[in-house]
Amino acid sequence: SLAPVLANTDVLYVTRIQKERFASAEEYEKVKGSFVITPEVLTSAKESMAILHPLPRVDEISTYVDSDPRAAYFRQMENGMYIRMALLALVLGKV
């Protein structure tokens, strides 16, 4: 449960539960959907907290969270693209 720590959290980094890491489909099914970030989960979170995710998401963050100002994962994705572009340009001697 996130409830005990969410009120003191500055950054919530969410990632998917990786199916390929489980020995069997049954083990995965037991935990699938255990941690889903919804607007209701975020009611006790700080207004200044940032929610990050590497994307793409499966079902670990509700699409209703996308409009929350704390949802920073789309900005995270865009900034990551620019960083990768800059690194490629540097490696290829274009800078």
Side-chain angles (χ1 to χ4, degrees):
S1 172
L2 291 173
V5 297
L6 199 56
N8 297 316
T9 301
D10 293 316
V11 176
L12 179 62
Y13 189 92
V14 183
T15 189
R16 68 182 174 85
I17 296 176
Q18 297 179 338
K19 186 176 186 177
E20 60 273 15
R21 303 259 186 216
F22 289 85
S24 69
E26 294 80 28
E27 287 182 49
Y28 169 73
E29 290 299 324
K30 286 180 190 175
V31 296
K32 176 185 167 192
S34 298
F35 297 100
V36 178
I37 307 304
T38 63
E40 294 77 27
V41 168
L42 297 173
T43 56
S44 65
K46 293 178 182 180
E47 291 298 319
S48 61
M49 183 183 77
I51 305 166
L52 300 175
H53 190 288
L55 298 177
R57 64 178 160 206
V58 179
D59 61 359
E60 58 278 356
I61 299 178
S62 166
T63 56
Y64 293 110
V65 176
D66 293 352
S67 60
D68 190 302
R70 296 171 287 195
Y73 35 88
F74 293 124
R75 292 189 312 266
Q76 174 189 0
M77 176 190 60
E78 182 179 3
N79 291 335
M81 177 188 63
Y82 296 136
I83 291 294
R84 288 188 296 279
M85 290 169 61
L87 288 172
L88 283 170
L90 185 65
V91 168
L92 296 173
K94 301 293 181 183
V95 177

